[in-house]
């Protein structure tokens, strides 16, 4: 299938400069003017790619709607986690790769966080056995330079997970909205949080500063934040 005839879900740049596209019809790679389609239905139950994470050396991790974890190692596709090994409704929402340890963090539907390390999978309990009052959906995990994992949730603000311990930021810490869509930690140590209804909030040294319509944002929904250079960033919004 052609890219123009499919629904694109996610884009990312590979470590070799190629552009990877996750779509409802599989995985695509754009490299040196050539588009290559990888039909995942040959090896998996689902060809619907929900998220991508580049691997050093030109490879790519891909997560599917059926919960499968797929690796392209530069030569071939491999199913690392098959659909029948995960609970129902375990679509992979997002991935985060730690290049220092080669750990892969997996966020699934229903608020499940997993750590894939040296071919073994571990479930991470972010709430120490406590059932959250509301349904938690993990979004956009972000690994910072120290190896801490920052996670946005649908109903519980931001969670920081490091060395087995968790801490959080929500309305009590100045976050205007509990539903987090994007996270970025910059080189100065500021954590930028894009929310559904509250615009963009900067968290630094216990203080929160929010930028929304009055500060120039066209809408209050901030769906993505990307560092452009040390002094600036790109902010993606959604809605009229």
């Amino acid at each position: 299938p052609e890219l123009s005839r499919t629904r694109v879900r996610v884009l990312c740049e590979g470590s070799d400069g190629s552009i990877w596209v996750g779509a409802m019809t599989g995985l695509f790679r754009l490299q040196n003017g050539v588009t290559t389609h990888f039909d995942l239905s040959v090896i998996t139950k689902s060809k619907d790619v929900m998220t991508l994470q580049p691997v050093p050396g030109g490879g790519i991790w891909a997560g599917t709607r059926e919960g499968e974890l797929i690796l392209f190692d530069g030569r071939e596709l491999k199913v690392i986690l098959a659909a029948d090994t995960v609970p129902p409704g375990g679509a992979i929402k997002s991935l985060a790769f730690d290049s220092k340890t080669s750990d892969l963090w997996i966020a699934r539907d229903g608020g499940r966080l997993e750590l894939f390390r040296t071919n073994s999978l571990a479930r991470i309990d972010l709430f120490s056995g406590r059932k959250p009052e509301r349904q938690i959906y993990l979004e956009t995990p972000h690994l910072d330079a120290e190896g801490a994992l920052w996670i946005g949730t649908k109903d519980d603000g931001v969670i920081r997970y490091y060395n087995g311990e968790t801490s959080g930021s929500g309305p009590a810490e100045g976050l205007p909205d509990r539903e987090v869509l994007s996270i970025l930690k910059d080189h100065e140590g500021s954590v930028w949080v894009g929310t559904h209804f509250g615009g963009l909030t900067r968290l630094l040294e216990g203080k929160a500063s929010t930028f929304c319509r009055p500060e120039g944002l066209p809408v209050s929904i901030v769906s993505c934040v990307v560092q452009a250079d040390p002094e600036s960033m790109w902010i993606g919004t959604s809605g009229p």
Side-chain angles (χ1 to χ4, degrees), residues 4-240:
S4 61
R5 298 181 180 180
T6 188
R7 180 177 179 181
V8 172
R9 294 195 181 277
V10 61
L11 297 169
C12 80
E13 182 179 0
S15 60
D16 60 354
S18 58
I19 302 298
W20 290 90
V21 183
M24 292 184 67
T25 53
L27 186 63
F28 295 81
R29 181 181 62 188
L30 285 66
Q31 187 177 46
N32 299 324
V34 177
T35 301
T36 304
H37 175 235
F38 299 87
D39 185 2
L40 303 184
S41 63
V42 177
I43 58 172
T44 65
K45 289 180 60 177
S46 172
K47 58 184 178 181
D48 193 349
V49 176
M50 305 291 290
T51 183
L52 297 170
Q53 178 66 47
V55 178
I60 196 84
W61 288 103
T64 73
R65 177 175 287 277
E66 291 293 329
E68 296 136 327
L69 180 65
I70 299 161
L71 173 65
F72 178 73
D73 62 5
R75 300 180 302 274
E76 60 179 346
L77 289 170
K78 300 178 181 179
V79 178
I80 305 301
L81 296 176
D84 56 8
T85 64
V86 300
I92 297 179
K93 297 280 290 184
S94 47
L95 300 167
F97 181 71
D98 190 336
S99 59
K100 295 179 181 178
T101 63
S102 295
D103 289 345
L104 182 71
W105 294 90
I106 304 170
R108 297 184 184 272
D109 264 348
R112 297 198 293 273
L113 179 66
E114 297 167 345
L115 172 61
F116 186 74
R117 173 184 291 168
T118 59
N119 295 322
S120 64
L121 189 69
R123 172 80 182 275
I124 305 299
D125 183 6
L126 292 174
F127 306 98
S128 302
R130 173 182 63 86
K131 185 177 181 180
E133 296 178 1
R134 297 165 300 278
Q135 181 66 44
I136 300 295
Y137 292 96
L138 304 178
E139 301 285 349
T140 56
H142 172 77
L143 273 167
D144 64 22
E146 290 75 38
L149 186 70
W150 295 82
I151 308 161
T153 73
K154 182 176 176 61
D155 290 313
D156 219 39
V158 176
I159 296 172
R160 180 182 184 268
Y161 181 84
Y162 184 65
N163 284 343
E165 298 183 359
T166 59
S167 57
S169 297
E173 290 72 32
L175 202 64
D177 184 12
R178 292 180 179 273
E179 185 171 357
V180 175
L181 302 179
S182 54
I183 301 175
L184 170 71
K185 187 175 182 182
D186 65 21
H187 70 288
E188 295 180 339
S190 297
V191 177
W192 297 86
V193 182
T195 62
H196 196 171
F197 296 109
L200 182 67
T201 298
R202 181 191 188 193
L203 303 174
L204 179 65
E205 299 177 348
K207 297 181 180 180
S209 304
T210 295
F211 305 86
C212 203
R213 288 179 185 267
E215 290 74 31
L217 279 183
V219 295
S220 61
I221 303 174
V222 176
S223 53
C224 57
V225 186
V226 178
Q227 188 92 46
D229 56 52
E231 303 299 328
S232 61
M233 64 180 66
W234 291 98
I235 303 170
T237 63
S238 180

